[in-house]
Amino acid sequence: MIRPPQPDFLIVGAPKAGTTALHAALSQHPEVFVTRPKEPKYWLCDGAPPPAWRGPGDAHSQQEWIWRYDEYTDLFASAPPDAVRGESTPFYLWSRGAHRRIGESLPDVKLIALVRDPVDRAYSNWMHLWCDGLEPVADFETAFGRQDARVRAGWAPFWRYRELGMYGEQLAHLHQHVDPERILVLRYRDIVDDPPAAVDRACRFLGITPGTVATIPRDNSRSYVPPGWRPTVIGPVIRAGARLGQFAAPEVWRRASAPLVARLQTGDGPRPRLTPEQRERLVSVFAEDVALLSELSGQDFSDWLSPEPKGSFEERRRA
């Protein structure tokens, strides 16, 4: 029997929670086939192009969204006949529309939801955009507080620092469309602290041989860019170029912007941690949702309510 060209599993979230690392680890498994690009974003769409997002760099990046059915299925055409096939789009966990479309179209698919302390996740999300020259606000808490205004202005999902961390609400809605037995909730902490065990847990969930992947690649963190003349001068140039980049093929702007981004990311100092005072001001935003996630997943996430920061992927691996 010929299988339809579609995924057997999806890594659905969350952004900046280790999805890239897990995707790369599973790509090393001899029984797995993963797509290129890693994030097609197909299930975010509904047979139509993505909305005309208007945040810095949004119009450029949305050119890479794959929304046509034949282009999506082509991603799986070269998979070996017996391979377990997957793709990783971390915004699927956030998207209510994706939940419905996945539930309707992929009745047997398995989902892996990676979750991370929501305050640390939001900080990493802001840091990613700031260090790429796209985030214009140099203070994380200020940028965090601008989510609602940015949503009203039509900025893309990646700018939703608070909303992307509401995993309890997201999982509750996902359960309405996908059998909870087909969803694995995996912690970022486990990916960093015990990579082989975390990958093996994912392998057992997917029904493939554990013990095959012993290492997991580092995540896609950026070099820290401290406030100063570089982001003040180079940042606006990058954002203006990204707006113009929507009129060229995505790879053209990526090549053109690389020297500018490299010039921006010249610092080699450690990225600053959130202070306990900063975390204490933000954890209350997520407290009820953390309790809901614990209830739905059967796992204890109460450590996320601590004012102590957890550190970046690289910091935790060096510890």
Side-chain angles (χ1 to χ4, degrees):
M1 181 178 177
I2 299 177
R3 295 189 298 166
Q6 61 189 30
D8 303 302
F9 74 90
L10 301 169
I11 299 177
V12 298
K16 307 307 296 180
T19 59
T20 298
L22 182 60
H23 178 97
L26 289 175
S27 73
Q28 302 173 49
H29 197 292
E31 299 168 27
V32 171
F33 172 89
V34 292
T35 61
R36 294 185 181 181
K38 164 187 169 263
E39 299 183 21
K41 300 184 175 71
Y42 175 76
W43 301 104
L44 297 177
C45 304
D46 198 6
W53 305 111
R54 296 190 294 275
D58 290 348
H60 159 256
S61 64
Q62 72 187 32
Q63 293 183 79
E64 299 174 311
W65 291 37
I66 294 175
W67 58 272
R68 293 180 178 87
Y69 176 75
D70 57 345
E71 292 182 6
Y72 184 68
T73 56
D74 282 349
L75 298 179
F76 302 94
S78 61
D82 297 327
V84 175
R85 302 161 301 183
E87 59 112 326
S88 306
T89 299
F91 296 99
Y92 291 159
L93 182 60
W94 159 83
S95 171
R96 275 42 171 186
H99 300 171
R100 174 182 56 79
R101 287 185 281 273
I102 291 168
E104 292 174 352
S105 300
L106 301 173
D108 299 317
V109 75
K110 293 184 177 181
L111 309 182
I112 300 176
L114 280 158
V115 294
R116 179 182 185 179
D117 177 309
V119 175
D120 286 350
R121 191 222 65 81
Y123 184 53
S124 181
N125 192 158
W126 168 83
M127 185 72 70
H128 177 118
L129 291 165
W130 168 255
C131 294
D132 274 1
L134 296 174
E135 170 60 75
V137 177
D139 177 72
F140 165 61
E141 287 186 86
T142 302
F144 184 94
R146 293 189 181 180
Q147 174 185 285
D148 293 343
R150 290 173 168 184
V151 170
R152 290 192 296 270
W155 290 31
F158 199 36
W159 297 94
R160 304 185 185 201
Y161 299 146
R162 180 186 74 244
E163 190 176 311
L164 287 170
M166 294 293 184
Y167 318 124
E169 293 179 3
Q170 295 161 14
L171 193 62
H173 188 272
L174 182 60
H175 282 179
Q176 297 175 28
H177 298 275
V178 177
D179 183 348
E181 294 297 316
R182 292 194 285 112
I183 303 169
L184 172 66
V185 177
L186 195 61
R187 296 182 64 134
Y188 174 87
R189 183 183 72 184
D190 296 336
I191 289 284
V192 179
D193 294 350
D194 194 350
V199 175
D200 280 354
R201 187 178 172 200
C203 289
R204 285 189 291 270
F205 173 70
L206 297 176
I208 57 179
T209 307
T212 304
V213 179
T215 60
I216 195 165
R218 68 187 299 272
D219 75 344
N220 55 346
S221 58
R222 271 50 175 175
S223 298
Y224 175 59
V225 178
W229 74 266
R230 285 189 178 89
T232 300
V233 174
I234 301 175
V237 177
I238 291 174
R239 293 190 287 276
R243 284 193 294 272
L244 294 174
Q246 66 182 294
F247 302 109
E251 60 271 14
V252 172
W253 167 242
R254 292 198 185 282
R255 285 197 301 268
S257 65
L260 281 172
V261 175
R263 181 63 172 156
L264 181 66
Q265 299 177 0
T266 54
D268 57 1
R271 83 186 213 182
R273 283 192 175 198
L274 290 173
T275 65
E277 292 75 21
Q278 286 176 303
R279 277 192 55 86
E280 196 159 25
R281 287 193 292 268
L282 294 171
V283 292
S284 62
V285 174
F286 298 102
E288 289 186 8
D289 191 78
V290 169
L292 177 59
L293 177 65
S294 296
E295 177 186 344
L296 293 172
S297 67
Q299 302 181 48
D300 182 9
F301 293 94
S302 59
D303 59 295
W304 287 352
L305 303 180
S306 166
E308 292 302 318
K310 310 300 187 301
S312 68
F313 189 101
E314 201 58 38
E315 286 177 316
R316 292 173 69 91
R317 292 187 74 175
R318 287 197 302 263

